[in-house]
Structures are given as structure tokens and as C-alpha cells.
Amino acid sequence: MPEVLDDNTRTQLGEILKELPETVKLVFFGQKPESPSCAQQRTILQEIAEVSDKVRVERYDFVKDRDKALEYGIDKIPATAVVTDRDYGIRFYGLTMGYEFSSLVEAMVLVSTGRSGLPEDFSALVGRIKQPVHIEVMTTLT
Amino acid sequence: MASDHIRADMVDASEFSTLSQKYNVSGVPKTIINGSQFIEGTQPIDRLFLEILKVVHPEEFEKLKSEVRAARGGRRVRNPNPEHIYEVAIVGGGPAAMSAGVYAARKELDTLMIAQEIGGQVNYTASIDNYLGLPGIGGKELTEMFREHVERYPIAQALGDEVVSIRRDEEHYVVTLKKGVGYRAHSVIYCSGKEYRRLGIPREEQFIGRGIAFCATCDAPLYKDRRVAVVGGGNSAFTAARDLVNFASEIYLIHRRDEFTADPALIRQVSKAGNVKILTNRVVRDILGQEKFEGIRIRPSGDGPGEDLKVDGMFLEIGLIPNSDPVREMVQLNEKGEVRINHRNETNLPGFFAAGDVTDVFEKQICIAVGDGAKAALAAHEYLLEHQLTQSKVKVGDAWE
Ligand SMILES: Cc1cc2nc3c(=O)[nH]c(=O)nc-3n(C[C@H](O)[C@H](O)[C@H](O)COP(=O)(O)OP(=O)(O)OC[C@H]3O[C@@H](n4cnc5c(N)ncnc54)[C@H](O)[C@@H]3O)c2cc1C
């Protein structure tokens, strides 16, 4: 598999990830035999992990590691869960390229710092939410 | 991350085309909340939280909205006063009651609305296709529009408690609530609608909302990857099963007969789903579990050995019954327990009117409840005028409205 991230991106990424207060785990779910998109997503994650020792990749098979898939609530692949010791429930389904690459990096920074990045005055509104909520954002890579 | 209750998926729409089709994605980003509420495009974050609140805690959302409306001056609702004698008390908060509220207020009647909950059955309806001029409107959305309309008028509202009895004193009607408060009025418009029939098995009430549910449209997402039972054999049972197909891992449709009354197309659609098992000639006998709902015990309809079914939830779709208990002793009901009315929405008691699903009106629909609510309020107005029981200055008919 050819390299996905160019040198420029690697350098920039290195700068950002260096600052991470807590190690980020990218939990990847694919399946053997590997589909092209699974292979590509796996490569992207590996390349991110190569840039910084603050990032670790864990790989699972959607079928063989069904328990793990259930634990992370994964229902389709390729899937990437962005977690630290804590799981804030952030998942990426499909390839994290293009625009979604920035979203992934942003998510890594957010979970690592443990801050949502929302203004303070939202806490009252957010505090009113007391039941499980599942948000799905449908995006495309461009 | 702002809340422990929220999980978020970023989904590449082109990679997962089936899901995109299911959510009808035609532009991105598109945000889906709990599989049901859709937001197109990028939205300010406060809008997103409001939408979330609307989906998961409609009551909180309503509260927030009425706070906002009151602050803007568009809401003129008054507090109820047990000392006061109202000209008309409207019982109910569904379409019939809200329509009656608008018409009573426009006749400048001194009006009190007493309801357990605003919206009634409309809140249980995902999408309504037969309300004139608003095809495809969401049930909650329609309730909100009704509510905003009626709350523009200075009527008093007593919400959140249940009417347990209504009786007639010498001069007026006394409406007594569960918590003990009583309200008085010269006339009553009774619009308490219908509610879901229960099975009548032990501990049923205790588990309502904690394993027993009625509204699959509302609660299906809560049963993601879980096993559920749906009880009933009509359209509502099959619609519930269909709503659950995309969420639940296994669905048992339990019916006490071996023939269904649901539409054949719906039956076919549901029977085809791989995760639906249909169990006919079975009745639910018991609930399993002490504190937690763990399943049900079912038995063949005739007789035979019981069988335990481990399920995480049970939807009761066995029809609706009129909420006429509080007036059972006082007004004439038909054999179904519906309040008998004439074409002026009068009952056998002077000054006591009724409208909507609780009555024996032909067919139960939102538009019919709305129409009858209006008629009942106009008839009540006329009654109050005739008996000189109103200060209302409006003497003419409503012909031009
Ligand atoms: C799943 C479902 C789907 C439907 N789909 C459609 C549709 O697509 N189109 C359509 O036209 N109709 C539809 N209907 C029917 C429609 O919702 C009803 O005909 C309509 O809501 C009746 O209005 P209502 O005001 O008479 O009563 P309800 O809507 O039943 O309202 C009753 C009100 O009275 C209150 N109440 C009851 N008892 C008491 C008490 N003791 N004390 C205080 N308050 C009390 C309740 O809280 C509620 O506010 C549907 C119904 C259901 C259940």
C-alpha cells in the first residue's frame, strides 16, 4: 500500500500531536479478506501513529473480534473509534481522508484534552440531556 | 463530549450507501439524531442541541420554548385558580381540546384548560399525511403548532395532573384532580381522548415506561440490538413491528388469534423481515423479573403449558380505549364506553359538551377532533349566553371566521 500522507502533512501533524496531553488510541475495525477501503483506512491510521508516540493503533477483526465490536458499538466497517482511557463515543465510519482527515485530527485533540471545545454557557442546555443520544453525521470526503 | 449521554458517528456517505439511502442523504453534511430527526447542512451548535433536546426530552424542550415565548410576549397563558368559577373548563390537551380552546378564547370566554399532557395521541404519531395543508408533518411538530396557537390567548392552564372525577354542584361543575385540587366552571368541554389498552396482567402498570411501551415510533431506537415483543394483530401492531425491524435484534409478534386484521401489504412486509417471529394463538400471562423487566410468560390461547420468552421490552398494540372513567357515573356512554353526543356536541347533561376521540363521533381523526372541538366551544358559548352565564361580549355567530 503506497503512503497516504505526504511529508508536509506529516510535519504539520507531528506538530499538533506532539502537544497531546494524553495518549490517543485509534481502535480500528476491519475484516479479512481486507476490502480496499479497509486497507486504506488501516494504512492512514498506521501512518498517523508513526508520526507521534502519543498515538496508538489497535486493530480488530469485525467478525472474529465480535466482542470488541460490541464493546465499541461498531456496526459497520471500516470503523475507527477515537478514545483515550475514556471513551467519549466518537466513531468514524469509512475513510478519514480529505475533509474528514481534519475532523479525525480534531477529534484526537478533543479526546486527548478531554474538552469538548464548546462555550461555557452550553452546559445548562447540555445538562438537560439525560438520555442516550446517537448522532450520525453523514459526510463525504470532499 | 459535552455530555456522557451523547455518542457521535462520522459516516462517509459514499462508503455506506445503504445507510445513506435509508436516511435519504442528498446533500452533506446531514445529521441524524437517534435515527429519526434530520438536520440538513451545517448548523450552529445551539441548534443541534435544541434538536437533540426535542428528540430525547420533548418536555424539557417545550419548557424551554415556552420560557422563550413568554419572554417574547407571544404566550399569554394564565395560572389556574381553584377559587375562581370559570365560564368553561376544557378537559384534555389533544387536538379537540386545543381547538376548543382557540374557539372559546376567541369568544372571550373565561376559559380553563385541564390536561395531563399537551398533544395527546398526536405525540405518538411520527408523521401525519392526512391533515389538510400539512402533508407529512411530524406529530410533535403539529402539537407544537397547535399549542403555540392556543397559547396566544389568555386562557388558564392546569397541566400535569389527571382529572379523576367531574360532578355537578347546584350551580356549576366541579372538576377534581388526582392531587386533590378542584376547579369550578359553568360548563365543561370534555376532550380526554383515548389511550392504549392494557393487557390486564399483574404488575403491568409498574413496568410501563420501564419495559412496557406503546409507541414504537418513539421508542424503537431504545431497543437497538435488543429482543422485543409486540402484542397485537392489527395495523398498529404490524406498524410497530415494522418500526422495530431496523433496530431490534429479534421481534416476537404475539397475537391471541391466528388471523390478523392488519392490511395484507403490511403483514407481508413484516413477515419478510428476517428478525421477526410471529407467534399466533398465544396470550401474555405474566411479566418476568422483579425490579427489572426481563421478559414475559406466554401461553397458548386455549390452554396449555406456559413458555418464558426472554425479551427486553414489550410493545402493547391491542387497541385504544376512551378515557371516560371520570364521567362514567354522570353522562351517557355507549357500549364502547364513549360519551354519547349529538351534532352540537351536547351530551345528555346541560352545559356538558364533549369532543374528539372520547365521544361516539363517527371516525377518530385529528381533523375530526379539531372540527368537533370547535363545534363544542361554539355550542358551549351559545349555552352560556342563553343561560346568562357569560360576560362574553361576543353575541354574533362565527360565520365569518
Ligand atoms: C399511533 C397513532 C397514529 C395516528 N395517526 C393519525 C393520522 O395519521 N391522522 C389522523 O388524523 N389521526 C391519527 N391518529 C388519531 C388521532 O391522533 C386522534 O384521533 C386524535 O389525537 C384525537 O384527539 P383528541 O383531542 O380527541 O384526543 P387525544 O389526542 O387522545 O388527547 C387526549 C388528551 O386528554 C388528556 N387526558 C386524558 N385523560 C385525562 C384525564 N383524566 N385528565 C386530564 N387530562 C386527560 C391527554 O393528556 C390528552 O392531552 C393516530 C393515533 C395513533 C395512536
Side-chain angles (χ1 to χ4, degrees):
Chain A
M1 177 66 58
E3 293 193 342
V4 187
L5 305 183
D6 60 30
D7 286 345
N8 198 0
T9 312
R10 278 168 198 269
T11 319
Q12 278 182 19
L13 190 61
E15 290 298 311
I16 298 169
L17 299 184
K18 195 169 72 188
E19 306 290 331
L20 292 184
E22 256 198 81
T23 302
V24 174
K25 233 172 25 173
L26 300 173
V27 187
F28 172 75
F29 287 84
Q31 193 180 335
K32 289 264 150 60
E34 207 170 33
S35 72
S37 49
C38 281
Q40 200 170 9
Q41 178 64 7
R42 181 176 50 74
T43 313
I44 294 171
L45 300 182
Q46 269 162 1
E47 289 184 15
I48 294 174
E50 279 164 20
V51 173
S52 163
D53 54 9
K54 287 287 177 70
V55 182
R56 275 184 20 229
V57 177
E58 262 177 35
R59 276 163 53 186
Y60 294 106
D61 188 289
F62 185 50
V63 178
K64 279 197 220 112
D65 304 313
R66 186 170 154 74
D67 286 352
K68 275 285 169 194
L70 283 177
E71 180 188 328
Y72 284 98
I74 301 298
D75 59 2
K76 50 193 167 291
I77 50 164
T80 310
V82 185
V83 301
T84 58
D85 291 341
R86 241 184 103 171
D87 184 354
Y88 294 98
I90 300 179
R91 310 284 181 266
F92 286 81
Y93 290 101
L95 295 181
T96 50
M97 288 174 70
Y99 188 71
E100 284 312 291
F101 186 72
S102 333
S103 304
L104 175 66
V105 175
E106 200 184 328
M108 291 166 68
V109 174
L110 290 178
V111 297
S112 178
T113 55
R115 279 197 292 268
S116 67
L118 290 181
E120 277 296 308
D121 38 328
F122 274 111
S123 54
L125 191 49
V126 175
R128 292 189 189 225
I129 298 170
K130 298 195 178 67
Q131 268 185 28
V133 177
H134 182 203
I135 302 176
E136 290 165 281
V137 185
M138 307 299 286
T139 57
T140 50
L141 305 181
T142 47
Chain B
M1 284 184 69
S3 159
D4 283 342
H5 300 296
I6 304 179
R7 59 195 181 95
D9 295 348
M10 312 294 150
V11 183
D12 177 2
S14 44
E15 178 82 29
F16 301 102
S17 51
T18 328
L19 193 63
S20 305
Q21 270 163 18
K22 179 176 152 203
Y23 290 149
N24 245 322
V25 178
S26 54
V28 289
K30 179 163 183 161
T31 307
I32 297 101
I33 305 170
N34 284 357
S36 60
Q37 188 76 16
F38 301 95
I39 308 172
E40 304 277 356
T42 316
Q43 294 291 341
I45 188 78
D46 47 347
R47 165 84 202 283
L48 179 66
F49 276 110
L50 284 176
E51 290 294 334
I52 293 175
L53 205 60
K54 194 154 107 185
V55 176
V56 293
H57 298 298
E59 338 71 52
E60 280 285 309
F61 178 76
E62 284 306 322
K63 231 165 65 192
L64 201 67
K65 273 198 69 164
S66 47
E67 283 164 26
V68 171
R69 259 184 294 137
R72 281 205 202 121
R75 185 171 184 268
R76 292 164 69 198
V77 170
R78 296 173 178 169
N79 286 328
N81 179 2
E83 305 301 318
H84 186 67
I85 300 176
Y86 290 92
E87 291 175 355
V88 59
I90 300 170
V91 176
M98 288 196 274
S99 174
V102 168
Y103 272 78
R106 294 179 61 79
K107 288 295 185 191
E108 294 181 358
L109 293 179
D110 181 8
T111 307
L112 167 68
M113 178 185 268
I114 308 168
Q116 200 154 29
E117 189 195 11
I118 291 288
Q121 293 166 60
V122 182
N123 287 343
Y124 303 139
T125 313
S127 141
I128 295 151
D129 278 313
N130 50 13
Y131 195 77
L132 190 65
L134 299 171
I137 182 127
K140 295 223 167 84
E141 215 177 322
L142 187 61
T143 290
E144 235 173 78
M145 290 164 75
F146 284 172
R147 180 177 196 159
E148 260 178 53
H149 191 171
V150 68
E151 291 188 349
R152 281 164 192 247
Y153 298 98
I155 64 171
Q157 270 183 352
L159 302 182
D161 199 1
E162 189 187 326
V163 172
V164 285
S165 79
I166 304 180
R167 66 190 158 80
R168 188 164 167 105
D169 256 358
E170 312 95 51
E171 294 284 287
H172 38 249
Y173 288 95
V174 181
V175 182
T176 308
L177 305 193
K178 202 170 190 172
K179 290 183 188 136
V181 198
Y183 293 104
R184 293 173 294 168
H186 291 304
S187 66
V188 171
I189 304 175
Y190 193 70
C191 316
S192 60
K194 288 198 164 171
E195 73 178 301
Y196 286 100
R197 186 188 297 279
R198 315 285 205 258
L199 288 166
I201 56 172
R203 302 188 299 148
E204 193 172 11
E205 296 298 318
Q206 173 192 334
F207 281 106
I208 286 173
R210 302 169 50 220
I212 298 183
F214 301 98
C215 177
T217 321
C218 325
D219 294 344
L222 301 178
Y223 291 92
K224 192 164 165 54
D225 302 325
R226 289 163 177 256
R227 296 152 56 107
V228 292
V230 174
V231 185
N235 276 329
S236 56
F238 277 86
T239 308
R242 190 189 58 193
D243 287 345
L244 284 158
V245 159
N246 290 324
F247 294 99
S249 57
E250 275 170 77
I251 301 155
Y252 297 92
L253 195 141
I254 301 165
H255 184 40
R256 65 195 158 112
R257 304 186 207 286
D258 59 1
E259 268 169 38
F260 301 110
T261 53
D263 297 339
L266 194 56
I267 299 178
R268 243 179 283 126
Q269 190 187 359
V270 169
S271 319
K272 268 201 306 216
N275 52 347
V276 178
K277 280 203 185 73
I278 295 182
L279 305 173
T280 51
N281 288 319
R282 306 283 218 299
V283 288
V284 180
R285 264 301 128 107
D286 236 321
I287 296 164
L288 307 177
Q290 285 311 311
E291 288 298 298
K292 194 171 162 281
F293 185 97
E294 286 167 5
I296 50 177
R297 177 160 304 147
I298 56 176
R299 208 170 50 79
S301 290
D303 208 6
E307 180 191 344
D308 287 353
L309 203 57
K310 295 269 179 218
V311 285
D312 302 298
M314 167 167 68
F315 285 83
L316 298 186
E317 305 293 345
I318 48 175
L320 296 154
I321 45 169
N323 293 317
S324 54
D325 264 356
V327 298
R328 183 167 291 280
E329 304 296 316
M330 193 175 69
V331 292
Q332 270 176 18
L333 308 178
N334 70 5
E335 65 293 344
K336 293 185 205 154
E338 297 168 336
V339 177
R340 277 189 201 278
I341 52 166
N342 63 16
H343 67 282
R344 295 168 61 91
N345 293 79
E346 294 163 331
T347 64
N348 61 310
L349 282 181
F352 195 92
F353 303 82
D357 277 22
V358 76
T359 70
D360 64 352
V361 68
F362 171 68
E363 288 299 337
K364 315 298 193 250
Q365 289 290 298
I366 300 165
C367 62
I368 293 174
V370 165
D372 264 32
K375 267 166 59 195
L378 296 174
H381 175 242
E382 212 166 279
Y383 166 85
L384 293 165
L385 280 179
E386 269 168 23
H387 293 79
Q388 288 160 9
L389 290 169
T390 176
Q391 313 290 314
S392 165
K393 285 167 278 310
V394 190
K395 305 275 185 213
V396 291
D398 226 1
W400 293 101
E401 284 208 341

